[in-house]
Amino acid sequence: MDKPVSNPLKAGRQKRRDRQQRTQSPNGFALEPVLILFLFTLLFSAWAALTIQSKAYLLQANRRSELDLAILERAKTIAGDLSWQRRCALDLDSASRNETILDHSVSFRDQTTFLECSYTENGRKFVFDVYYDQTGIIKIEYRDRSS
């Protein structure tokens, strides 16, 4: 048969005491809330680190993009001058030019059908070829070479 319940209040108090003993450390602090707060802190820290890292990469890409566009604009002018000199059968000034664009030393090297543009940033050498003809720029090919 069923066991008679002697005192439901005592049974409830005993269950509460048992639960408190399992959720408290020996020094009396509650374990579950502290663990939950620790995990939320860890999760937030990881999220913040990833967000900051992605924004840093985005800013770096934006700076490099501005530099590449400035170099491309200058390459467009140089390619137009070289094309004009070839059409008019004039002597070419030089096969290579070095200029400073946005605090970077940029080398433009004429390869007859394309300009090789190169610069160094943070120890890495970036190179891209600007193909041109009499009408203007035809194509741009990026090459990434590490030093």
Side-chain angles (χ1 to χ4, degrees):
M1 290 211 189
D2 292 333
K3 273 172 125 182
V5 176
S6 62
N7 188 347
L9 289 177
K10 279 187 179 180
R13 287 183 191 144
Q14 183 62 35
K15 285 182 183 177
R16 192 173 329 130
R17 259 189 252 123
D18 290 343
R19 191 171 349 125
Q20 284 176 347
Q21 287 176 352
R22 282 186 309 223
T23 61
Q24 288 185 351
S25 65
N27 60 4
F29 290 107
L31 288 177
E32 290 172 356
V34 171
L35 285 175
I36 291 172
L37 286 175
F38 174 72
L39 291 175
F40 277 129
T41 304
L42 191 63
L43 182 67
F44 177 75
S45 299
W47 173 79
L50 289 175
T51 302
I52 291 169
Q53 183 182 22
S54 67
K55 287 186 180 187
Y57 284 140
L58 188 61
L59 287 173
Q60 183 181 11
N62 186 30
R63 275 195 305 273
R64 186 160 168 240
S65 177
E66 288 175 0
L67 178 62
D68 285 353
L69 288 174
I71 291 171
L72 201 58
E73 187 64 32
R74 185 63 184 134
K76 181 179 172 183
T77 304
I78 292 172
D81 290 345
L82 290 171
S83 178
W84 180 78
Q85 288 173 358
R86 283 196 181 94
R87 265 186 278 145
C88 295
L90 300 173
D91 288 334
L92 299 177
D93 294 340
S94 173
S96 179
R97 297 182 190 186
N98 292 320
E99 296 186 13
T100 301
I101 300 174
L102 296 177
D103 299 330
H104 288 81
S105 177
V106 182
S107 172
F108 297 95
R109 197 169 307 128
D110 183 30
Q111 305 289 345
T112 309
T113 58
F114 67 93
L115 273 175
E116 180 183 86
C117 308
S118 62
Y119 65 94
T120 304
E121 184 177 46
N122 296 332
R124 292 181 64 192
K125 186 171 184 177
F126 296 96
V127 179
F128 55 95
D129 300 331
V130 179
Y131 291 88
Y132 66 95
D133 65 0
Q134 291 83 14
T135 59
I137 293 176
I138 302 170
K139 176 172 85 167
I140 302 166
E141 284 185 3
Y142 286 88
R143 292 184 283 157
D144 183 20
R145 290 191 283 183
S146 299
S147 295

